[in-house]
Amino acid sequence: MADRRHGGQPPPPEHDVREADWYGEDISGQEHLRTAFSGVDLSEVTDEGAVFEECTFHDCRFNVSRHIEAAFLNCTFTGCSFFEAEFDRCKFVGSRFNRCSFGLVTVTGGDWSFAGLPGADLTRARFTGVRMREADLTGARCAGAVLRDVDLSGAMLHDADLSRADLRGSDLSTVDPLNVTLRGATVDIAQAVVLVTSLGLTVQA
């Protein structure tokens, strides 16, 4: 299955799960294809290796859930809550998020390439060592967020707010300082050179 860049329209669902209570369950190893989840409570679930492909999640709760090496491929999330959720080495390739809340979410490693997060509020999120190549972060609110060692090559960041964010070690080659808010952000020396160079300045020792 080809990656669905920036969350284009998903195929119609073949299965439907509504208002299910999965609170605290272990969903490790489950596989779901083209399933529509609506109002499902996945709070505090534990998950190692579950696979969701071309699924839709509407008004679902992932609060305080723990996911290890799980895959959410080409999925669509609308109105979902991820408060204090943890994703360790998970894949969200081609998935799209609309009107979701990410309070204190922690993402470590994994692949979020081509993910669609336009306008997302990531102010309290922590992304470390995540691959986010060509992700759509247009207008994303990341003020004060942690985005350490993140591969943002080719990412769409127009009008994103990265003020006070910790960006150390991340690929900022596609960041345009004139179209992204960077006031108070923390960067390393190599990143500073990249940003200054993108402004047309020459750096000399």
Coordinates of all heavy atoms in Angstrom, one line a residue, residues 44 99 130 139 147 168 176 178:
E44 N -5.6 4.3 28.6 CA -4.8 3.4 29.4 C -4.6 2.0 28.7 O -4.3 1.0 29.4 CB -5.3 3.3 30.8 CG -5.3 4.6 31.5 CD -5.4 4.5 33.0 OE1 -5.0 3.5 33.6 OE2 -6.0 5.5 33.6
R99 N -8.5 18.4 14.5 CA -9.1 18.8 15.7 C -8.8 17.8 16.9 O -9.6 17.5 17.7 CB -10.6 18.9 15.6 CG -11.1 20.0 14.6 CD -12.6 20.1 14.5 NE -13.3 19.0 13.9 CZ -13.9 18.0 14.6 NH1 -13.9 18.0 15.9 NH2 -14.5 17.0 14.0
V130 N 12.3 11.3 16.1 CA 11.2 10.9 15.2 C 11.5 11.3 13.8 O 12.0 12.3 13.5 CB 9.8 11.5 15.7 CG1 8.7 10.9 14.8 CG2 9.6 11.2 17.1
G139 N 1.1 25.8 9.9 CA 0.3 26.5 11.0 C 0.3 25.7 12.3 O -0.5 26.1 13.2
L147 N 11.1 19.2 20.2 CA 11.3 18.5 18.9 C 12.8 18.3 18.7 O 13.5 18.9 17.9 CB 10.8 19.4 17.8 CG 9.3 19.7 17.8 CD1 8.9 20.8 16.8 CD2 8.4 18.5 17.6
R168 N 16.9 21.3 19.1 CA 18.3 20.8 19.0 C 18.4 19.5 18.3 O 17.7 18.5 18.6 CB 19.0 20.8 20.3 CG 19.3 22.2 20.9 CD 19.9 22.1 22.3 NE 18.8 21.7 23.3 CZ 19.0 21.4 24.5 NH1 20.3 21.5 25.0 NH2 18.0 21.1 25.3
D176 N 11.9 28.2 6.8 CA 12.2 29.6 6.3 C 11.9 30.5 7.5 O 10.8 30.7 8.0 CB 11.2 29.9 5.2 CG 11.4 31.3 4.6 OD1 12.2 32.1 5.2 OD2 10.7 31.6 3.6
L178 N 11.6 33.5 7.8 CA 10.7 34.6 7.5 C 9.2 34.1 7.5 O 8.3 35.0 7.6 CB 11.0 35.2 6.1 CG 12.4 35.8 5.9 CD1 12.6 36.3 4.5 CD2 12.6 36.9 6.9

